[in-house]
Amino acid sequence: MADTRKLFIKTYGCQMNVYDSERMAEALGASGYTMTDRADDADMILLNTCHIREKAAEKVYSELGRLKPLKIANPDLKIGVAGCVAQAEGEEIMRRQPLVDLVVGPQTYHRLPAMEKAVRDGARAVDTDFPEEDKFDHLPKGPRAGRGPSAFLTVQEGCDKFCAFCVVPYTRGAEVSRPVERILSEARDLVEGGVREITLLGQNVNAYHGAGAGGTWTLARLIRELARIDGLARIRFTTSHPNDMDDDLIAAHGDEPKLMPYLHLPVQSGSDRILKAMNRKHTAESYLRLVERLRLARPDLLLSGDFIVGFPGETDQDFEDTMTLVRQVGYGQAYSFKYSARPGTPAAERAAVPDDVAGDRLQRLQALLLDQQRATQNSMIGRDVHVLFEKPGRDVGQMTGKSEYLHAVHVTDPRIEKGQIARVRITRSESNSLGGVVL
Ligand code: SAH
Ligand code: SF4
Ligand code: F3S
C-alpha cells in the first residue's frame, strides 16, 4: 500500500512557499507518496498557506470547509495545514477544524515523514517549533528530475526588519542564511537535472550573509560564484529590501551577464512620514537615489515593486506622495495592496484609514501601475529579447517562456523546445504577455 499513496498540495502566498511545497513533496516522496493534481484522488492533502493579509489567511478556513466532503467520502484521507498560517494559528486551526490531522510550520517540514506516520496511527500532530537543527540538512538531496527549466532556490529565510505591518518575522522567524556550499551543491544538482534559470529566494534575500570559503559571503558574491556553473544561463533573486542593496550587488547588475535585468524592489510608500511609521528605515529620496544608481549600472533594468495603501495615518497628501514616486520611478510592473491589520504587529494597534478611502486610493494606484505596465510592454514591440521557453502555450503549437525582463512571451514555432533559449522579435503586446517571432 505504502508505495501507492498520493499527495495533493495546494500552495498559497509567495515563491518561498512554492519552493517549500516542492521540498515537502520530496520529503513525503521518501515515505512513498507520489504527487497528484487532483484533491479527490489524494490520500493526503496539504495546504501550504500564507498569513500576509487577512484575506489570504481566511482562505485556509474556507478551503478546509470545501474539503469536508472528501474526508467524508474517504475517512482515510489525511489533511494537513503547512506554511505561515500553520505557524501563526496552529492550535486555533486544530480547534476550529476537527478534520485537520496535522499542522506543520515552515521550519519543521523535514519532520513530515514522522508526523505522517503518527497521523496514520490515528494521532493529530502539531509542530510549529523553530528547531535547533537546519531542516535543509534533513531533506532529500541529489539531482531532482522532472522539473521545468526554471527553478527556485531558497538561500535565506526569515526577517529581522520588523516592518510595522508585517507578519513575516513572526511566521518565518529570525533571519538565517544557508551556507554557501549547500547552495552551490543544490544549484549544481538543479542544473544537472536540466534547470537553466535559478531564482534565489529569501524574504529578505539581499540581506544574505552565508558562511562560505574565507568568511561570510554577500549575495553578490554568491551570485558571481553561481554564475560560474556551466549550463546555468540565468540568475534572478527576490525579494529585496532597499537598505540591503550594497555596492557590489548594484555593480553585479551591470557586469554579471547571467544576472537578469529585472529587480523586484518594494518601497511600500512614497511618503517619508508613512515610511517612518512603517519602520522601513529608508526615505522616498534614498529609494530614488538607489534606483538611479541601479539604472546607471544597468540602464534597461526593469523595476518591480510592492505598495501598501491605507496604512494607519496615511493622509491624502501621503498617498499623493506615493503616486509621485511611482511616476518618478516608472515601474515595469508592481503589486499593490490595501493595508490589512495583522494580529501581533505594531501597526495593528493604530487607528485605521476608512475602508472606502483606502479602496479608492488602491484603485487609483493600480490604474497608474497598469498604465506603466502597458507602456513598458508596448515599448518592447520591435525589440529583440531572449526567451527561456518553459512550456506549451494555450494555443496549438504555441510555446511560452520568459524574457530576460520576466515578461511572458508566446511564440508559435515548431523548432522551439522546452529549456531552449531563443532570440525573439516582439511583435505584439497583450494584457499580461507579449508575442513574437523566433529569429
Ligand atoms: N520581504 C518583502 C515582502 C514580503 S511580503 C519585502 O520586504 O519587501 C510581500 C508584500 O506584501 C510586502 O512587500 C507588502 O507590500 C505586502 N504586505 C505585507 N504585509 C502587509 C499587510 N499587513 N497589509 C497589506 N500588505 C502587506
Ligand atoms: Fe516583512 Fe519584508 Fe519588512 Fe521583513 S522586510 S518585515 S518580510 S515587509
Ligand atoms: Fe505569505 Fe508566508 Fe510568504 S506569510 S508571503 S507565505 S512568507
Side-chain angles (χ1 to χ4, degrees):
M1 256 318 270
D3 52 339
T4 61
R5 284 193 187 130
K6 294 219 173 77
L7 171 66
F8 175 80
I9 304 185
K10 185 159 179 175
T11 307
Y12 303 84
C14 64
Q15 288 110 322
M16 312 266 312
N17 264 12
V18 175
Y19 176 85
D20 289 340
S21 289
E22 287 173 11
R23 302 303 308 255
M24 286 193 265
E26 288 166 7
L28 285 169
S31 308
Y33 280 85
T34 56
M35 293 299 285
T36 172
D37 49 17
R38 281 179 41 202
D40 60 1
D41 192 31
D43 301 284
M44 159 118 41
I45 295 175
L46 282 181
L47 304 181
N48 193 12
T49 61
C50 174
H51 201 242
I52 202 81
R53 284 168 291 275
E54 193 181 351
K55 258 197 202 133
E58 277 307 313
K59 269 188 202 156
V60 180
Y61 293 100
S62 48
E63 183 64 26
L64 286 171
R66 276 197 291 277
L67 293 179
K68 202 166 180 177
L70 293 184
K71 186 98 172 180
I72 292 166
N74 173 14
D76 288 337
L77 170 67
K78 301 299 174 194
I79 294 178
V81 179
C84 293
V85 181
Q87 188 65 46
E89 301 178 7
E91 297 294 344
E92 194 190 336
I93 295 169
M94 282 301 200
R95 243 190 342 266
R96 264 175 81 173
Q97 263 302 355
L99 61 75
V100 173
D101 299 289
L102 79 88
V103 165
V104 64
Q107 304 307 349
T108 45
Y109 62 75
H110 57 297
R111 296 173 179 166
L112 266 173
M115 295 177 79
E116 189 268 350
K117 220 182 248 147
V119 159
R120 286 275 153 222
D121 292 339
R124 295 180 90 201
V126 181
D127 192 340
T128 51
D129 284 357
F130 288 107
E132 289 285 311
E133 79 271 15
D134 178 355
K135 67 171 176 270
F136 295 109
D137 291 345
H138 303 272
L139 287 166
K141 292 188 181 65
R144 294 182 241 154
R147 55 170 61 248
S150 180
F152 292 136
L153 202 177
T154 292
V155 302
Q156 180 277 334
E157 282 201 279
C159 183
D160 296 339
K161 294 270 193 294
F162 291 93
C163 298
F165 50 81
C166 184
V167 293
V168 170
Y170 312 98
T171 60
R172 291 276 170 167
E175 226 176 85
V176 177
S177 296
R178 295 179 66 191
V180 170
E181 252 333 299
R182 313 274 172 82
I183 295 166
L184 294 176
S185 96
E186 193 172 329
R188 286 187 211 105
D189 286 344
L190 286 168
V191 172
E192 209 172 299
V195 165
R196 305 208 62 196
E197 173 182 271
I198 292 180
T199 302
L200 306 175
L201 300 182
Q203 269 89 18
N204 215 324
V205 70
N206 56 343
Y208 178 82
H209 56 281
T216 303
W217 286 35
T218 61
L219 185 69
R221 183 154 179 212
L222 180 67
I223 288 170
R224 294 185 190 285
E225 189 62 27
L226 284 163
R228 293 159 52 120
I229 299 177
D230 284 335
L232 180 63
R234 298 175 154 195
I235 301 168
R236 305 179 185 277
F237 62 92
T238 197
T239 296
S240 301
H241 193 288
N243 291 0
D244 291 317
M245 281 319 284
D246 66 26
D247 293 349
D248 196 21
L249 191 54
I250 296 171
H253 281 277
D255 62 28
E256 181 40 68
K258 289 187 181 179
L259 184 59
M260 292 294 102
Y262 176 99
L263 180 64
H264 185 65
L265 192 65
V267 64
Q268 314 298 354
S269 168
S271 153
D272 288 344
R273 229 175 52 78
I274 293 300
L275 287 169
K276 190 153 199 281
M278 286 177 164
N279 192 32
R280 288 290 293 185
K281 299 197 169 79
H282 58 75
T283 62
E285 186 60 25
S286 69
Y287 181 83
L288 290 169
R289 292 289 80 78
L290 175 60
V291 166
E292 207 167 83
R293 289 181 61 207
L294 281 158
R295 283 184 167 149
L296 222 58
R298 181 80 202 220
D300 61 342
L301 187 71
L302 192 148
L303 276 168
S304 160
D306 290 339
F307 295 89
I308 295 177
V309 302
F311 186 80
E314 186 185 72
T315 62
D316 285 339
Q317 185 54 51
D318 292 323
F319 174 68
E320 291 309 327
D321 291 347
T322 297
M323 295 291 276
T324 302
L325 177 135
V326 170
R327 288 189 197 99
Q328 284 170 310
V329 172
Y331 288 91
Q333 74 109 52
Y335 305 91
S336 47
F337 314 97
K338 206 197 293 183
Y339 169 73
S340 169
R342 306 308 290 128
T345 60
E349 316 286 313
R350 305 175 198 164
V353 167
D355 195 56
D356 55 328
V357 174
D360 287 346
R361 289 178 187 167
L362 184 63
Q363 249 182 14
R364 281 188 55 208
L365 176 60
Q366 290 188 333
L368 175 60
L369 290 169
L370 190 61
D371 276 351
Q372 295 193 341
Q373 180 189 323
R374 293 219 173 103
T376 307
Q377 284 186 206
N378 290 340
S379 75
M380 301 306 295
I381 295 173
R383 280 177 63 182
D384 297 348
V385 296
H386 291 87
V387 178
L388 169 59
F389 287 96
E390 290 173 10
K391 55 183 186 229
R394 249 170 311 165
D395 301 344
V396 189
Q398 199 180 52
M399 285 293 285
T400 174
K402 298 276 166 58
S403 78
E404 47 274 70
Y405 306 103
L406 210 59
H407 284 130
V409 179
H410 309 295
V411 303
T412 304
D413 193 311
R415 295 169 299 175
I416 293 298
E417 283 169 27
K418 186 172 128 175
Q420 195 178 336
I421 296 178
R423 228 173 103 204
V424 173
R425 178 151 307 158
I426 300 301
T427 54
R428 59 179 201 282
S429 169
E430 284 151 16
S431 56
N432 274 309
S433 63
L434 301 171
V437 289
V438 179
L439 296 173

